[in-house]
Amino acid sequence: MDILAVIRDRAGEYDCPVCQRTLDGCRLTLLKDEDPLYTVQVGCARCGVTFVVVLKVRRDGPRPARQRRGPLRAPRPPIGVDEVLDVHELLRSHTGPLTELLLRR
Ligand SMILES: [Zn+2]
């Protein structure tokens, strides 16, 4: 899967942990692909800070058939919003060097 395209698509929904502005248009580099874990370096387009996030892709199993008939919905994006938010909150509340976060785990 093209994880970078997925992140880029949703980057505008999140703020840079440093300058608090939107991450829309950020630079993305895939550092490690260990499906379902992806380590991605994110570079803020506004202030230029770079940080690393580890995303776990959640795959939904087959869904039960819906009772109501209607147009098919677009498939849900593979990244759980909660997971992205967890990373975001972690970064937001962290004041030390970002590398510290990585070493702690
Ligand atoms: Zn920034």
Side-chain angles (χ1 to χ4, degrees):
M1 73 179 300
D2 190 350
I3 188 77
L4 295 187
V6 173
I7 299 172
R8 194 171 287 121
D9 211 44
R10 311 178 119 216
E13 299 172 27
Y14 302 100
D15 298 332
C16 170
V18 175
C19 71
Q20 312 295 323
R21 283 177 288 178
T22 173
L23 283 172
D24 197 24
C26 59
R27 294 184 313 278
L28 296 169
T29 309
L30 184 61
L31 300 179
K32 220 189 282 181
D33 175 351
E34 297 170 313
D35 187 25
L37 283 179
Y38 294 87
T39 306
V40 179
Q41 179 177 288
V42 183
C44 175
R46 273 77 193 174
C47 70
V49 73
T50 60
F51 53 95
V52 174
V53 294
V54 179
L55 298 170
K56 185 177 182 195
V57 174
R58 183 170 55 209
R59 295 183 203 288
D60 291 336
R63 296 173 168 249
R66 293 185 183 246
Q67 295 180 336
R68 201 161 50 89
R69 284 194 197 170
L72 280 177
R73 291 244 195 113
R76 286 173 59 84
I79 297 179
V81 172
D82 288 349
E83 288 154 344
V84 178
L85 280 176
D86 283 348
V87 174
H88 183 66
E89 289 302 317
L90 189 68
L91 289 170
R92 203 205 327 243
S93 59
H94 183 69
T95 51
L98 290 169
T99 48
E100 203 177 273
L101 281 176
L102 302 173
L103 297 174
R104 221 190 283 162
R105 305 247 148 172

